[in-house]
Amino acid sequence: LILMPLASLAIANSGWLGSSMANMGLIPADTDPNQIFLVVANLVTKPGMFGLILAALTAALMSTIDTLITAICAIFVNDIWKPFVVKDKEDTYYLMIARRVAIGAAIIGVLLVPIFAGEKSIYIAHGKFISTVTPAMIVVILLSVFWKRFTADAAFWSLIIASIITAVSAWNPEMIKPIAHGISDEGGYKFMRAFLGIVSALGIGVIITFFTKQKSDAQLKGLTIDSFHDARRFFKGSEPNDDFNTIKVRVKLREVEEDGVVLPQKVAE
């Protein structure tokens, strides 16, 4: 409720500033919208800060990439390789597997570059990928947390099948038309593709759930919203401390003037 609106404002700021600058004649009115961030950043951060801004942006992107690769390694080793392929091995073995998975994930990412480079902009390419993977994932997470009857088999197959359906719709947009709610098919229903993923994952997950066995309450402890306190206890390793006793601290500051600037005495020293 707090960070998401701030993130939206941060993302949209370059567009708002660019529109204002174009109206004031500071930048050409026909500036390419796909280049508006670079144009605005170059003007606002002069002199000397533009390179730092680009370096920070590149660092943020690299941080996101290595975080996602680390997550892929952890999921593959802990949820697939260790339980189903090779069990009860030393940690050095699983570390080696994780390193190999990281290299493989990076190579796959590089190989996907030509596919996404074919889009008109990186935003459209990013949206196509997000609308393919994220909707099914969100449905699985929400059902897992809020519905105790939801099973692991249903989560697995709804995620796989719904992602495949959504991916196929990228090449066959007519699949989305029945749920497009009158939205024009120009552009291949980019946004409604995500809705197709949500509907598919929800329907498949609910159907498979009723044909698979539910886990016991003991097995689900700490995994659903009604056992939230058990999850906190498990995460901390002991009983959570909810007794937030406040302590009042009184501080006396004496102001001194230092070259025309008034500073607290401790700061001035």
Side-chain angles (χ1 to χ4, degrees):
L1 295 178
I2 297 176
L3 294 181
M4 287 301 291
L6 291 178
S8 300
L9 290 174
I11 294 172
N13 272 341
S14 59
W16 294 337
L17 289 173
S19 178
S20 299
M21 288 179 174
N23 290 333
M24 296 176 64
L26 298 177
I27 61 175
D30 58 349
T31 302
D32 185 0
N34 295 325
Q35 304 294 327
I36 195 64
F37 175 81
L38 296 176
V39 174
V40 171
N42 186 35
L43 289 175
V44 173
T45 58
K46 280 184 177 180
M49 291 295 293
F50 182 60
L52 181 61
I53 294 295
L54 292 184
L57 181 61
T58 304
L61 292 174
M62 292 301 297
S63 174
T64 302
I65 292 172
D66 62 40
T67 300
L68 293 175
I69 291 178
T70 302
I72 290 171
C73 296
I75 293 172
F76 182 84
V77 171
N78 294 322
D79 295 342
I80 298 176
W81 194 266
K82 192 173 183 178
F84 301 109
V85 181
V86 179
K87 302 178 181 179
D88 302 326
K89 296 285 285 188
E90 61 278 4
D91 290 341
T92 53
Y93 169 78
Y94 295 114
L95 179 59
M96 177 192 67
I97 297 298
R99 288 172 175 170
R100 293 179 178 178
V101 172
I103 295 173
I107 292 174
I108 293 174
V110 172
L111 293 176
L112 289 174
V113 169
I115 298 176
F116 291 109
E119 300 294 339
K120 294 181 179 179
S121 69
I122 189 62
Y123 174 77
I124 294 176
H126 180 265
K128 180 178 287 188
F129 175 79
I130 293 298
S131 66
T132 301
V133 178
T134 305
M137 191 181 301
I138 293 298
V139 170
V140 167
I141 292 174
L142 291 178
L143 289 179
S144 300
V145 172
F146 292 101
W147 189 25
K148 293 177 64 175
R149 181 68 179 82
F150 193 57
T151 64
D153 290 332
F156 178 81
W157 289 111
S158 60
L159 182 61
I160 297 298
I161 298 174
S163 296
I164 292 174
I165 292 173
T166 311
V168 171
S169 70
W171 287 274
N172 187 19
E174 290 300 317
M175 296 172 56
I176 309 174
K177 190 173 182 178
I179 60 171
H181 299 293
I183 294 178
S184 172
D185 60 352
E186 184 179 358
Y189 302 111
K190 292 183 179 66
F191 297 102
M192 295 309 296
R193 183 174 295 110
F195 185 56
L196 174 66
I198 292 174
V199 172
S200 301
L202 183 61
I204 295 169
V206 171
I207 292 172
I208 295 179
T209 293
F210 288 111
F211 288 93
T212 51
K213 185 178 180 181
Q214 179 185 5
K215 290 185 176 182
S216 63
D217 289 343
Q219 293 175 304
L220 295 174
K221 183 177 291 187
L223 300 177
T224 55
I225 192 66
D226 62 332
S227 58
F228 172 70
H229 296 291
D230 294 314
R232 295 177 60 210
R233 190 181 303 110
F234 175 77
F235 178 79
K236 184 180 179 182
S238 61
E239 197 66 29
N241 181 16
D242 293 328
D243 187 14
F244 301 107
N245 292 325
T246 58
I247 300 176
K248 293 184 178 180
V249 178
R250 297 185 181 276
V251 179
K252 292 183 178 180
L253 298 175
R254 188 177 62 184
E255 295 182 347
V256 297
E257 188 170 345
E258 203 56 37
D259 294 333
V261 180
V262 178
L263 298 173
Q265 184 176 10
K266 291 295 183 182
V267 178
E269 294 174 354

